[in-house]
Amino acid sequence: MTNKNNKGLGRGIEALFQEFDETNESEEVVTELKLADIRPNPYQPRKTFDEKSLAELTDSIKKTGVFQPIIVRKSTVKGYEIIAGERRFRASKLADKETIPAIVREIDEASMMEIAVLENLQREDLTPLEEAEAYNTLMEKLNLTQNQVSERLGKSRPYIANYLRLLGLPLEVKQMLQTEKLSMGQARTLLALKNKKQLVALAQKTVHDNLTVRQLEQLIAKMNGKGAKKGKKVVKDPNEPYYKQSETALQEKFGTKVAIKNRSKSGKGKIEIDYLSTKDFNRILDILGISLD
């Protein structure tokens, strides 16, 4: 079950998954459970399943049944919850089966959530939005910071932060991303638009005109610069490369968008740090060493 070719796994969660995976199945009992008594993992990050792949699995189950049992745990509410094997569960229902072979394991809430996220990140291509929601779920349900999530999953903090920023997009734009009308690169580029009221219209234009990321960047640069005074000669700031490098360094440190603005000849200006939620705000305060206790 563990994919040995995955190089990006954090040691903590990899060990968790390996421990889950290497349970001695020969000592476990495979039981036929009623499909009606089973419900999907509530922490399943995947919202949609490939219909063609599911149809093929359904046909296979109709002919030969389910060879590999699904893994479940007893629900604290009623029946059982799936830990691993939701595709087999869905396909069995489509095949009009009444029962499915299953192994019942004892597993706590936190481990179940991590396994659900990890299994999908390893095996299936989540959409960018589903991946972002998976990271956000880990942060909210397990009370983790971006840095802790990045350590557990073996990914950089800026990588996690870039995905989490997608959750700030308007619903219409999220739907375009989820249905793959927009790419991850296009969606990330849209976030640079200053006037957020124009986001949906620009996203629609991006899809309609099939704009590349580079074309979109150029268009957004023009739209962001519309408020500048006309006729006034723009004097290039010799310190611009330094400011750009500083922005990049700050973004790496805080794992979110940082902008250095309103720079003047006197050297005065301001630094703007984006945050996505109260928890993200507190994470930034922690990085700055600020405690309000």
Side-chain angles (χ1 to χ4, degrees), residues 25-194:
E25 294 189 8
S26 64
E27 297 179 359
E28 294 183 311
V29 178
V30 177
T31 308
E32 286 287 330
L33 296 178
K34 291 182 179 180
L35 289 170
D37 293 337
I38 303 171
R39 71 180 183 119
N41 187 331
Y43 305 115
Q44 165 68 262
R46 179 168 290 281
K47 307 301 183 214
T48 57
F49 290 78
D50 183 80
E51 292 184 6
K52 182 180 178 182
S53 174
L54 202 56
E56 291 173 351
L57 182 56
T58 300
D59 289 339
S60 173
I61 289 175
K62 283 181 179 179
K63 295 174 183 176
T64 59
V66 178
F67 286 116
Q68 184 180 5
I70 64 172
I71 312 296
V72 301
R73 72 165 187 170
K74 286 187 177 180
S75 172
T76 55
V77 182
K78 183 181 179 182
Y80 302 87
E81 293 174 341
I82 298 171
I83 299 172
E86 185 167 341
R87 286 182 69 254
R88 278 165 277 157
F89 167 75
R90 287 173 177 257
S92 294
K93 291 181 72 174
L94 290 173
D96 295 324
K97 298 289 184 180
E98 293 186 359
T99 64
I100 189 170
I103 293 173
V104 182
R105 289 186 183 172
E106 292 185 9
I107 188 168
D108 62 33
E109 204 83 4
S111 297
M112 183 175 182
M113 187 186 310
E114 288 184 303
I115 289 168
V117 172
L118 179 60
E119 184 182 30
N120 278 280
L121 289 175
Q122 281 195 113
R123 297 181 180 181
E124 301 184 76
D125 294 328
L126 295 178
T127 67
L129 197 57
E130 288 171 343
E131 189 169 341
E133 288 172 345
Y135 298 143
N136 191 55
T137 297
L138 287 176
M139 290 176 63
E140 289 189 348
K141 300 296 183 180
L142 299 183
N143 197 31
L144 301 176
T145 63
Q146 284 187 24
N147 193 47
Q148 288 171 326
V149 171
S150 72
E151 288 176 354
R152 291 197 183 203
L153 298 180
K155 298 180 183 294
S156 70
R157 189 169 62 196
Y159 177 93
I160 301 294
N162 282 332
Y163 273 86
L164 289 172
R165 289 179 63 209
L166 298 175
L167 299 179
L169 290 167
L171 179 60
E172 296 93 327
V173 181
K174 286 182 180 178
Q175 290 173 338
M176 295 180 206
L177 180 60
Q178 179 68 12
T179 55
E180 298 184 344
K181 292 179 180 178
L182 282 176
S183 69
M184 170 72 169
Q186 290 169 324
R188 283 182 57 189
T189 304
L190 284 168
L191 288 164
L193 185 64
K194 291 180 180 178

